[in-house]
């Protein structure tokens, strides 16, 4: 999801679509943060506690929280790219860009074919 939201931000910039920029920024932060929380084996109780629980993570990309805050304040390709590249270089997540794209297409965009709810709607 982080890969797709980073890509979506580029599309939002290209079309100057404020709604999509805001949504992509929020979703990129959520899914990037969830990866870091999972890596640190930390659960968070709900969204209002999300940032505080990220502070508890001892292992995270350099400037991770600062990059999150910049992205949320200035949603654009550059700030999204900074957060996403930090996430990608932090660890080998075991997923190629192509695999991330195919997963998104099959499990999110085409979820209706299997009468399933996509991850982002759960």
């Amino acid at each position: 999801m982080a890969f797709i939201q980073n890509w979506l931000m580029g599309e939002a910039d290209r079309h100057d679509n404020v709604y999509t920029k805001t949504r992509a920024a929020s979703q990129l932060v959520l899914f990037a943060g969830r990866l870091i929380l999972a890596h640190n084996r930390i659960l968070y109780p709900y969204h209002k506690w999300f940032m505080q629980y990220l502070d508890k993570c001892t292992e995270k990309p350099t400037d991770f929280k600062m990059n999150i805050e910049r992205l949320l304040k200035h949603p654009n390709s550059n700030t999204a790219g900074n957060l996403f590249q930090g996430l990608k270089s932090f660890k080998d997540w075991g997923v190629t860009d192509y695999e991330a794209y195919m997963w998104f297409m099959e499990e999110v965009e085409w979820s209706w074919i299997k009468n399933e709810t996509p991850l982002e709607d759960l």
Side-chain angles (χ1 to χ4, degrees):
M1 289 300 289
F3 169 85
I4 292 301
Q5 298 310 317
N6 183 58
W7 170 83
L8 185 59
M9 182 61 80
E11 291 298 293
D13 259 1
R14 190 164 66 95
H15 296 285
D16 196 27
N17 184 322
V18 175
Y19 166 75
T20 306
K21 285 181 186 183
T22 303
R23 188 169 193 290
S26 177
Q27 291 288 84
L28 177 53
V29 166
L30 174 64
F31 288 104
R34 286 175 66 182
L35 279 171
I36 295 303
L37 287 165
H39 173 78
N40 284 271
R41 299 184 180 279
I42 295 175
L43 297 174
Y44 71 102
Y46 195 64
H47 294 283
K48 72 179 183 177
W49 298 104
F50 185 67
M51 298 303 279
Q52 288 88 338
Y53 276 69
L54 282 176
D55 286 339
K56 296 178 181 188
C57 295
T58 56
E59 296 181 22
K60 56 191 164 203
T62 304
D63 299 327
F64 188 67
K65 191 151 181 206
M66 181 184 68
N67 285 331
I68 284 175
E69 290 171 3
R70 283 183 180 159
L71 172 57
L72 292 174
K73 288 178 184 173
H74 308 284
N76 61 56
S77 302
N78 291 331
T79 55
N82 288 339
L83 178 62
F84 182 66
Q85 288 308 317
L87 187 68
K88 273 186 83 170
S89 62
F90 173 70
K91 175 183 172 174
D92 178 2
W93 298 99
V95 178
T96 66
D97 291 351
Y98 177 76
E99 289 169 332
Y101 168 76
M102 291 304 294
W103 174 86
F104 181 80
M105 185 175 60
E106 293 171 357
E107 299 300 324
V108 176
E109 287 187 332
W110 294 353
S111 62
W112 61 272
I113 294 172
K114 296 185 275 185
N115 199 29
E116 293 178 353
T117 303
L119 173 65
E120 63 185 353
D121 290 344
L122 292 175

